[in-house]
């Protein structure tokens, strides 16, 4: 049986990981890369080389998907027709960090839930919300996260970038000195979320320009960022922190 | 991903014929490689089917032969798309040139 056939039987986290690993391995093989520093995941290439030849899903980005329950619909998968629709507001040429993850999420539905009779309509809440009630949304998110950020490659790139194998420890608001690509850089951290985003930022371009938030969550999951305070990771707080920092700089 | 409306007719034709035979892209590549097209990659077939890329006429004939389609019709389809695309490009260029000319004329009149 080919490794890239949709998972048969029960869909587990491990089986999704195995599937995405085989896809990424094939991508690397097709690209002919031999060294770690050559690895850069490009969404267009990934679609052309791996995703379309295996699953034959057509991606349409020109249709406005409108709203569902007062929330903007970002993506839709029609498994019967083998079509993935992504809202033009987040798709190229517009630059939106949500695009790669939404793309992966919709492909997750397309690959894992082939037997589903209905189509999947995914809003901001169903893709990026932290608490999912629907198991299928969680599975699609796992697929997307592992497709764009395979564990071993993230760890390897983390080591390559920061030249350290041990995790970063957040111990509160203060100045942190981070060694990045051989140079020590001071970071004045305002919150745990801000710390995570700062650590995740240099790794994003290697993984299909995935959002910093997704990468930060992945690094926490892999234990590469440790939190020694009571603060929690909050995406909204990060945004407010960024706005404040920009405003303060202007003053 | 890029969408092209009518420009994708050739790609859709190839895709439909391939799917009617129950072949995957890998199967099609194997058939092409067996006929001497060693450098064909999955990405190239994706570009033909999805992005409306038009292959060389020799390749189209080979594709028609493998897929059991009429080579003449396929070539005509590819030719029509190329002509249509060329017309569109030309139209765009003319419109741009006309716009630039109007802007320059406006400036010249102002300066006078």
């Amino acid at each position: 049986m080919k490794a890239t056939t949709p998972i048969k039987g029960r869909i587990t986290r491990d089986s999704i990981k195995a599937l995405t690993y085989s896809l990424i391995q094939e991508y690397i093989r097709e690209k002919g890369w031999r060294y770690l520093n050559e690895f850069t995941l490009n969404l267009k290439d990934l679609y052309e080389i791996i995703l379309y030849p295996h699953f034959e899903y057509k991606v349409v980005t020109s249709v406005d998907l409108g709203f569902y329950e007062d929330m903007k619909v970002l993506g839709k998968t029609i498994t019967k027709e083998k079509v993935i629709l992504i809202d033009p507001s987040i798709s190229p040429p517009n630059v939106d960090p949500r695009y790669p993850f939404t793309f992966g999420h919709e492909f997750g539905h397309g690959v894992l839930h082939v037997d589903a009779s209905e189509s999947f309509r995914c809003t901001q809440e169903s893709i990026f919300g932290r608490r999912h009630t629907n198991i299928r949304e969680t599975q699609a998110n796992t697929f997307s996260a592992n497709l764009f950020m395979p564990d071993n490659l993230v760890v390897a790139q983390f080591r390559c970038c920061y030249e350290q194998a041990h995790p970063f420890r957040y111990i509160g608001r203060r100045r942190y000195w981070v060694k990045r690509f051989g140079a020590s850089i001071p970071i004045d951290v305002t919150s745990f979320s801000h710390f995570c985003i700062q650590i995740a930022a240099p790794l994003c371009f290697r993984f299909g320009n995935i959002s910093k938030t997704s990468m930060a969550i992945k690094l926490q999951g892999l234990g590469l960022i440790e939190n020694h305070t009571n603060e929690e990771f909050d995406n909204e707080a990060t945004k407010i922190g960024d706005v404040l920092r920009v405003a303060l700089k202007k003053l | 991903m890029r969408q092209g409306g009518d420009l994708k007719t050739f790609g859709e034709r190839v895709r439909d014929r391939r799917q009617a035979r129950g072949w995957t892209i890998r199967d099609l590549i194997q058939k092409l490689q067996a006929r001497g097209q060693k450098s064909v990659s999955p990405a190239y077939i994706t570009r033909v089917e999805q992005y409306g890329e038009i292959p060389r006429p020799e390749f189209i004939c080979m594709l028609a032969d493998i897929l059991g389609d009429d080579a003449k019709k396929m070539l005509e389809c590819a030719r029509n798309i190329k002509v249509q695309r060329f017309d569109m490009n030309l139209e765009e260029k003319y419109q741009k040139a006309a716009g630039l000319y109007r802007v320059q004329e406006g400036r010249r009149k102002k300066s006078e």
Side-chain angles (χ1 to χ4, degrees):
Chain A
M1 192 181 76
K2 281 182 190 175
T4 49
T5 46
I7 300 159
K8 282 173 186 170
R10 196 161 164 260
I11 300 168
T12 61
R13 187 182 287 253
D14 289 339
S15 59
I16 297 169
K17 268 188 185 180
L19 176 68
T20 50
Y21 272 22
S22 65
L23 293 173
I24 290 295
Q25 271 176 359
E26 196 180 330
Y27 176 71
I28 293 168
R29 213 169 35 243
E30 285 283 335
K31 282 279 192 180
W33 289 330
R34 293 173 65 192
Y35 304 105
L36 184 67
N37 58 4
E38 289 173 329
F39 177 81
T40 320
L41 210 148
N42 183 308
L43 193 61
K44 193 168 172 282
D45 285 353
L46 190 72
Y47 175 72
E48 281 183 10
I49 298 169
I50 303 296
L51 296 175
Y52 182 74
H54 279 297
F55 308 113
E56 298 190 12
Y57 270 89
K58 194 174 167 182
V59 179
V60 179
T61 58
S62 53
V63 182
D64 193 335
L65 300 177
F67 288 82
Y68 177 66
E69 290 178 351
D70 292 338
M71 278 186 285
K72 182 81 187 130
V73 179
L74 300 177
K76 193 173 179 179
T77 309
I78 307 164
T79 45
K80 268 187 185 175
E81 307 284 327
K82 288 214 161 194
V83 175
I84 284 171
L85 301 152
I86 296 178
D87 197 75
S89 64
I90 61 162
S91 31
N94 294 336
V95 181
D96 195 307
R98 291 174 297 178
Y99 176 69
F101 201 87
T102 309
F103 183 89
H105 179 94
E106 297 306 326
F107 251 100
H109 282 308
V111 174
L112 303 171
H113 311 133
V114 186
D115 53 336
S117 54
E118 81 275 28
S119 59
F120 295 92
R121 186 166 36 191
C122 305
T123 59
Q124 167 82 22
E125 185 57 34
S126 60
I127 301 172
F128 299 101
R130 298 297 295 273
R131 285 174 190 168
H132 293 297
T133 47
N134 189 346
I135 184 78
R136 288 185 162 176
E137 298 299 332
T138 316
Q139 286 168 349
N141 272 356
T142 311
F143 179 87
S144 184
N146 284 299
L147 183 69
F148 290 111
M149 300 173 285
D151 292 355
N152 50 358
L153 280 170
V154 172
V155 172
Q157 292 290 353
F158 176 87
R159 286 179 184 171
C160 185
C161 175
Y162 292 109
E163 295 173 7
Q164 66 176 53
H166 57 271
F168 282 102
R169 287 176 189 156
Y170 177 71
I171 51 169
R173 294 179 181 190
R174 52 172 284 193
R175 174 172 284 191
Y176 291 84
W177 285 87
V178 176
K179 203 175 181 188
R180 193 180 282 171
F181 294 116
S184 282
I185 301 162
I187 305 172
D188 290 319
V189 174
T190 54
S191 66
F192 177 57
S193 311
H194 183 208
F195 180 76
C196 292
I197 296 292
Q198 288 290 325
I199 299 297
L203 299 172
C204 293
F205 81 99
R206 290 266 183 201
F207 297 94
N209 280 332
I210 197 107
S211 65
K212 291 170 197 166
T213 314
S214 310
M215 184 56 78
I217 292 167
K218 185 77 183 180
L219 291 177
Q220 286 176 63
L222 290 170
L224 294 170
I225 297 175
E226 287 178 2
N227 185 9
H228 289 258
T229 62
N230 293 329
E231 286 182 51
E232 281 186 10
F233 184 80
D234 183 8
N235 187 25
E236 292 304 314
T238 323
K239 279 178 192 167
I240 295 163
D242 284 351
V243 171
L244 278 175
R245 269 188 307 112
V246 171
L248 284 170
K249 266 186 185 176
K250 279 181 183 173
L251 285 170
Chain B
M1 302 294 135
R2 201 170 65 195
Q3 293 298 306
D6 290 344
L7 300 181
K8 285 173 60 173
T9 325
F10 180 79
E12 274 171 8
R13 194 182 175 111
V14 173
R15 187 188 179 181
D16 291 347
R17 294 281 168 180
R18 178 177 61 74
Q19 284 180 343
R21 297 204 155 215
W23 290 347
T24 62
I25 288 180
R26 301 266 164 200
D27 296 334
L28 180 61
I29 288 169
Q30 275 180 5
K31 309 266 177 204
L32 285 164
Q33 282 176 345
R35 294 207 177 197
Q37 293 286 339
K38 299 285 178 194
S39 60
V40 181
S41 66
Y44 184 68
I45 303 293
T46 306
R47 286 202 295 274
V48 170
E49 288 191 4
Q50 287 294 303
Y51 301 158
E53 189 165 320
I54 306 294
R56 302 186 312 277
E58 307 90 69
F59 190 85
I60 295 172
C61 291
M62 192 179 284
L63 214 53
D65 201 19
I66 289 169
L67 295 169
D69 202 350
D70 189 357
K72 265 190 182 178
K73 279 185 183 174
M74 265 189 128
L75 281 168
E76 199 182 322
C77 180
R79 186 181 158 277
N80 287 344
I81 290 164
K82 278 212 162 184
V83 169
Q84 201 180 344
R85 211 175 275 174
F86 179 78
D87 282 350
M88 274 167 69
N89 279 344
L90 205 64
E91 185 63 32
E92 265 180 35
K93 279 180 186 172
Y94 268 90
Q95 279 184 2
K96 267 187 188 174
L100 280 171
Y101 177 73
R102 269 186 231 116
V103 170
Q104 276 183 349
E105 276 292 293
R107 280 181 189 162
R108 196 174 58 81
K109 277 177 187 172
K110 267 187 186 177
S111 62
E112 280 174 5

